[in-house]
Amino acid sequence: MSKTNKIGLGGGCHWCTEAVFQSVEGVLKVEQGYIASNAPADTFSEAVIVHYLPKRANLERLLEVHLHTHNSTSNHSFREKYRSAVYFFSAEDEVEIRKILEKLQQQFEKPLVTQVLEFNEFKASRESIQNYYKKNPDAPFCKRYIEPKLEKLKKMDL
C-alpha cells in the first residue's frame, strides 16, 4: 500500500472544509471535527484532518486549495471558532508548510493570516453532521456556502 500523510486544516466551517477536501484527488479520508494546538491556540476550533497520498496530492497543492477556499487573509470576529490554520504532525512538516505558505503568499494581495500550529488534540464532530454535504447536497447551507467553494475548486483545476 502507498504511504499516506496527514495534515490538519482549519479556516471556515468544517462542513465546507470537509466537502472541499473530499473532492480533491489523492485525498483518502477527511475527518471533520475540532482541533486544538498549544497555548495560545489551545482552544478547539473547527477543522479537518486530511489523509492523503503524497504521490497524488502533494502538500503544496493541498495548501493552495485550502488558502483559496476560505478567507485566509481576514482576521474577522469569528477567528477563534474558525481559526485559519495548518496543523502539523512533525517538525519536518512544519518546515515544509512554512516554506510553501511563503511561496503561496505571492498569490494574494493581502497578507495571509493562516497560522502554522502544532497539532495537539482532535475531537470528532457528532455523527449527524459528518459528511454533511454528501448527506445534504440540496440543503440551503450547502447551496449557499459549499457549492461556490466546489465551483472555485473546479476552476482552479486542482
Side-chain angles (χ1 to χ4, degrees):
M1 185 167 153
S2 298
K3 179 184 183 287
T4 62
N5 287 358
K6 64 183 177 177
I7 192 77
L9 300 169
C13 170
H14 52 194
W15 296 352
C16 296
T17 311
E18 175 189 59
V20 165
F21 285 96
Q22 286 175 332
S23 302
V24 174
E25 187 179 331
V27 170
L28 300 177
K29 179 171 84 170
V30 181
E31 296 179 79
Q32 182 207 113
Y34 307 85
I35 295 179
S37 182
N38 302 315
D42 55 352
T43 56
F44 281 98
S45 183
E46 292 192 18
V48 298
I49 297 176
V50 175
H51 300 259
Y52 64 98
L53 293 168
K55 291 185 185 230
R56 292 186 52 214
N58 73 46
L59 185 56
E60 183 172 338
R61 183 176 126 189
L62 294 175
L63 295 181
E64 185 173 19
V65 167
H66 182 55
L67 296 176
H68 284 282
T69 55
H70 82 281
N71 197 343
S72 58
T73 60
S74 172
N75 264 326
H76 54 71
S77 61
F78 288 98
R79 269 295 167 228
E80 188 165 319
K81 181 179 180 183
Y82 301 127
R83 185 182 299 125
S84 180
V86 179
Y87 299 91
F88 60 88
F89 290 86
S90 72
E92 295 80 21
D93 287 348
E94 179 186 12
V95 171
E96 185 178 3
I97 290 163
R98 291 186 186 282
K99 285 180 187 174
I100 292 169
L101 290 179
E102 189 176 314
K103 178 181 176 185
L104 293 176
Q105 173 63 63
Q106 298 168 21
Q107 297 178 17
F108 298 86
E109 289 182 23
K110 296 179 181 176
L112 294 170
V113 297
T114 306
Q115 300 173 66
V116 179
L117 301 169
E118 183 175 13
F119 174 87
N120 187 24
E121 191 176 352
F122 178 78
K123 288 194 304 191
S125 298
R126 63 188 183 276
E127 179 62 36
S128 63
I129 63 170
Q130 291 179 23
N131 295 302
Y132 189 81
Y133 180 71
K134 287 183 177 184
K135 293 177 186 172
N136 306 283
D138 295 322
F141 180 90
C142 296
K143 295 287 186 194
R144 182 170 182 188
Y145 295 104
I146 296 175
E147 287 189 1
K149 291 173 189 264
L150 295 176
E151 284 301 312
K152 186 170 193 170
L153 182 63
K154 285 180 191 172
K155 289 178 183 169
M156 289 174 68
D157 194 31
L158 293 172

